[in-house]
Amino acid sequence: MKRIITLTTDFGLNDYYVGAMKGVILSINPDAKIIDITHAIPKYDVIKAAFTAQNICPYFPKETIHIVVVDPGVGSERKPIVVHSEQGIFIGPDNGVFSFIYKSSKEVSIREIANVEYLLEERSNTFHGRDIFAPAAAHISLGVDINELGAGIESPVLLDPPEPTISEDAIIGEVIYTDSFGNLITNIPGDMINNSSEIHIDKFVIDSVASSYQDVEKGELLSIIGSSGFLEISVNRGSASELIKDYRVTVLK
Amino acid sequence: MKRIITLTTDFGLNDYYVGAMKGVILSINPDAKIIDITHAIPKYDVIKAAFTAQNICPYFPKETIHIVVVDPGVGSERKPIVVHSEQGIFIGPDNGVFSFIYKSSKEVSIREIANVEYLLEERSNTFHGRDIFAPAAAHISLGVDINELGAGIESPVLLDPPEPTISEDAIIGEVIYTDSFGNLITNIPGDMINNSSEIHIDKFVIDSVASSYQDVEKGELLSIIGSSGFLEISVNRGSASELIKDYRVTVLK
Amino acid sequence: MKRIITLTTDFGLNDYYVGAMKGVILSINPDAKIIDITHAIPKYDVIKAAFTAQNICPYFPKETIHIVVVDPGVGSERKPIVVHSEQGIFIGPDNGVFSFIYKSSKEVSIREIANVEYLLEERSNTFHGRDIFAPAAAHISLGVDINELGAGIESPVLLDPPEPTISEDAIIGEVIYTDSFGNLITNIPGDMINNSSEIHIDKFVIDSVASSYQDVEKGELLSIIGSSGFLEISVNRGSASELIKDYRVTVLK
C-alpha cells in the first residue's frame, strides 16, 4: 500500500542507522514512500525536532506517518507512542517531541506502542528507531488500526516552549530556532506585528518590518515575517546569527 | 502520474525546508518520484548550482523536472521561471542558474511562473522553493502545459562562466569547481588535450595526462580527463585542493 | 520493475556524483526504488563501508541490490564485481568492501562485471559508480541474470578485520567503529559477554554490562550490547569517543 512515511532524527548521515530503519520499513511495506526530512537534528535536541515536526506536517497529506526519533531516553521507562491528530500520524518517544502537535491540533489521540506483533522480534535497548518505531510505522502504513498498538495515554510528556510576554506597549519574546542561513526565528507570531513595529534585539534596533530580504542593502540586518509565520531576524545575503548573541527580542508596538 | 522531480538547493539538511518542499510536491502529485541531488550547494553559489544542473541532466530521462533553488534574490523582482529544452525541464529563479543549460541546449523556451492556480495559495516572500517552485513542478509533473504557467521570457539572466583562452601554443583556463575529494575541475574541455600536453598550475608542471589515478604513485599530482569531460587536476588518493592555491591553468599543446 | 537499490558511498553530498548515479539507474529502470544508506563514509575507508554493508543488509529484503562504492583504486586493475549471497546482491569494486558479507554468508557467488551491454556506453576511468556500478545494478533490477555479467571470480580481495583474542580468563578486542554519537563499537560479540564481565578500556574499568544507557547517570561511561550485537562503550547522553583514546578492550570473564 502506498503511503508516505517521513523520517526526522538526530542520527546524522554518517552511520548505517537510518539505512537500517529504511530496510525495516520496506521489508514490511515495499510500497511505502520514505521521505527524509532531516537526520541532522542536533543530538538530543528534542525541542528542535518538535519544531521541525510542526513545520513540515502542514505540507504533507493528512494520512502521512511522521517518524521523529530524538530519543536521549531510549531504553528507559519513557514509552514509545503513536499520536493521531487531524495534522497527521506521528510516531516517536514520549519525551515531548510532539508538544507543538498537541498544542496546535484540534483532536489528538495518543497510544503506547506496545503490541509486539507490530515490532521487530529482536529488540535492542539502544535503537528503538529500527526495532520499534520503523516497524510500527510500516504496519500502520499497511492499514493496521492505531488502537491495536497499545493502551491510550492521557498525560503525555509536554515540553513548555517559551511563550512571548505581551503587554500594552510591547511583546517580549525570544529566538527559538536558528537555521543554516543564520536566520533567527522567534516565538512571536507574525500577526502580532505591524509595519510600524520597532524591534529590539541584542544591541540593535530595527525600525520596520521588511517584506523581502531585498528591502535592505546586502549585509544589512532586517526583520521579516518568515515562512513559518513567525517574526524572523535576518541579514540580506548574510547571517544574523553571526551578528547577534543575545536572543531576547522586544517588539514595541 | 509517475514523474521524476529532482531537487538541488543550498538549503542544507539541518532545517525543515527541504522536507516542506517534498510535502508540497507529494500533496499535489502523490506519485512523483522525488530525487535529492544535493542540498549542500554553498549558500548563494549560483554558479556551482548551475554547474550541478548541467552535469546531472544528461543522466536523467528527458521528461525529468529539475528544481534548482539557489536564490539570494528571493522576494525581489527576479522572476521564477520554467525552462524547457531537449535536456529536460528546469524550474528555479531567473538569476543565471540555468546559464549552462541555455548554452548547451539546441532549443530552449523559457516562461515566467506566474499563474497562481499552480502555486500555493499562501506565498511567503522568503521561501519560493516551497511556495512557488515545488507546486509548479508538481503540477507540471501531472501534465500541466508549461505554456499555462506564464508569459514567455526572451532575455533571461545569463551568467558568464569563464571560458578558456586559446592561442596557437597554449590554452589558458581556470579551475571552476572543486569536489569533496579535492579534485580540481577546470573549464578546459577534454578534447582540447592530447597525451603530450604539458599542464602548468600554481608552481607545478604536470608533463602528461593520466588515464587513471593509479598512473601515479599515491600522493602524487596528476592531470586527467575527468568524468564531466573536462581537464581535472587530482592527487592519487589525496586532495589536489590542499596542494594548489592558484587556480589558473596553462596547457602547452 | 519494482526493486530496491541501496547506495553507500564516500562521495559526500556536496557534489553531483550521487545525483548522476541516480539518474543512470532511473533511466534504465524507472521503477527502481533508490534508497540512500550513506554517502558520508570517510574517503577511501573501505573497512567502514564493509561494516555498513554488513549492518544494513539483514534489514532489507533479500532481493535488494546494494551498491557500495568506496573505491580508491578506480580505473586500476581492480575489478568491478557483483556478489550474490542469501543476504542480498552486492555491487562494487573488488577491494575487500564485501569481506564481511563473504564471511557471514552461507553461499556466495562472485562475478566480474564485464559485459559492456549492461554498462554505460561512454565510461570514464574515474567514476565507475556512474558508468559501471549504477547501470549494472539497474539492469539486474530489471531481471538480468547475474551470470550474464562476466566470468566467475574465485579469489576476491579479502580484508582481514581484526578478530578478538580469546583466552581462558579474558577476551582482548578493539574498537572497530565509532558512530556519530561517540559510541565505540568493538569487535567482541555480545554473546561472549555476561553480566559479571569486567571491561577494561584506556584507563577505565567498567564493572558491569548495562541493559540501557539509563542504567548510569548522565555523563557516565557504560558498556552495553549494542544494536549491531557487539559490545559497545558509551556515555549516557554524551560521547565515549571524547573520553577514550586507546581503543584496545579487555574483557575479564
Side-chain angles (χ1 to χ4, degrees), chain A residues 129-196:
Chain A
R130 179 192 66 191
D131 304 338
I132 294 180
F133 302 127
H139 283 291
I140 292 171
S141 77
L142 284 173
V144 164
D145 185 341
I146 287 170
N147 297 325
E148 300 263 312
L149 289 168
I153 286 189
E154 296 303 323
S155 308
V157 173
L158 260 172
L159 296 176
D160 232 349
E163 298 274 359
T165 310
I166 301 161
S167 70
E168 207 175 313
D169 310 319
I171 307 159
I172 298 175
E174 61 184 88
V175 172
I176 53 163
Y177 188 99
T178 304
D179 76 14
S180 71
F181 289 89
N183 297 313
L184 308 176
I185 305 176
T186 75
N187 60 351
I188 302 175
D191 55 18
M192 288 189 182
I193 305 290
N194 61 58
N195 281 342
S196 62

Side-chain angles (χ1 to χ4, degrees), chain A residues 11 21 24 67 69 71 73-81 91-93 113 119-120 122-136, chain C residues 211-214 227:
Chain A
F11 292 170
M21 286 179 69
V24 168
I67 302 181
V69 194
D71 194 10
V74 62
S76 70
E77 293 302 301
R78 75 96 192 87
K79 288 177 176 154
I81 55 172
I91 287 179
I113 300 172
L119 311 181
L120 286 206
E122 284 187 50
R123 292 182 298 282
S124 71
N125 272 327
T126 57
F127 192 5
H128 286 184
R130 179 192 66 191
D131 304 338
I132 294 180
F133 302 127
Chain C
S211 66
S212 94
Y213 299 135
Q214 273 63 40
S227 61

Side-chain angles (χ1 to χ4, degrees), chain A residues 2-189:
Chain A
K2 277 188 196 177
R3 190 87 168 267
I4 303 168
I5 298 178
T6 79
L7 301 180
T8 301
T9 77
D10 64 350
F11 292 170
L13 285 172
N14 293 38
D15 300 313
Y16 55 88
Y17 302 137
V18 172
M21 286 179 69
K22 293 177 178 176
V24 168
I25 291 170
L26 295 173
S27 294
I28 296 169
N29 182 1
D31 289 324
K33 197 160 187 131
I34 302 174
I35 298 290
D36 292 304
I37 301 300
T38 175
H39 301 288
I41 299 287
K43 301 289 184 213
Y44 312 134
D45 191 339
V46 176
I47 280 272
K48 200 155 191 172
F51 191 76
T52 298
Q54 179 60 74
N55 273 282
I56 57 128
C57 70
Y59 297 98
F60 278 87
K62 294 321 170 201
E63 64 275 17
T64 300
I65 301 162
H66 301 282
I67 302 181
V68 185
V69 194
V70 174
D71 194 10
V74 62
S76 70
E77 293 302 301
R78 75 96 192 87
K79 288 177 176 154
I81 55 172
V82 52
V83 176
H84 192 185
S85 94
E86 79 280 2
Q87 300 192 82
I89 294 165
F90 302 85
I91 287 179
D94 181 20
N95 63 7
V97 74
F98 302 124
S99 297
F100 289 106
I101 302 296
Y102 304 148
K103 280 182 65 173
S104 62
S105 296
K106 285 182 204 115
E107 289 198 58
V108 183
S109 81
I110 308 170
R111 292 202 164 259
E112 188 179 350
I113 300 172
N115 188 340
V116 296
E117 202 179 325
Y118 303 120
L119 311 181
L120 286 206
E121 217 173 301
E122 284 187 50
R123 292 182 298 282
S124 71
N125 272 327
T126 57
F127 192 5
H128 286 184
R130 179 192 66 191
D131 304 338
I132 294 180
F133 302 127
H139 283 291
I140 292 171
S141 77
L142 284 173
V144 164
D145 185 341
I146 287 170
N147 297 325
E148 300 263 312
L149 289 168
I153 286 189
E154 296 303 323
S155 308
V157 173
L158 260 172
L159 296 176
D160 232 349
E163 298 274 359
T165 310
I166 301 161
S167 70
E168 207 175 313
D169 310 319
I171 307 159
I172 298 175
E174 61 184 88
V175 172
I176 53 163
Y177 188 99
T178 304
D179 76 14
S180 71
F181 289 89
N183 297 313
L184 308 176
I185 305 176
T186 75
N187 60 351
I188 302 175

Side-chain angles (χ1 to χ4, degrees), chain B residues 224-236:
Chain B
I224 193 164
I225 310 307
S227 61
S228 59
F230 288 87
L231 178 71
E232 295 186 20
I233 312 298
S234 300
V235 165
N236 184 13

Side-chain angles (χ1 to χ4, degrees), chain C residues 23-82:
Chain C
V24 168
I25 291 169
L26 295 173
S27 294
I28 296 168
N29 182 1
D31 289 323
K33 198 160 186 129
I34 301 173
I35 298 291
D36 292 303
I37 301 300
T38 175
H39 301 288
I41 300 288
K43 301 291 183 209
Y44 314 134
D45 191 339
V46 176
I47 281 271
K48 200 155 191 172
F51 190 75
T52 299
Q54 179 60 72
N55 273 282
I56 58 128
C57 70
Y59 297 98
F60 279 88
K62 295 320 170 203
E63 64 276 16
T64 300
I65 301 162
H66 301 282
I67 302 181
V68 185
V69 195
V70 175
D71 194 11
V74 61
S76 71
E77 294 302 300
R78 76 96 192 86
K79 288 177 175 152
I81 55 174
V82 52

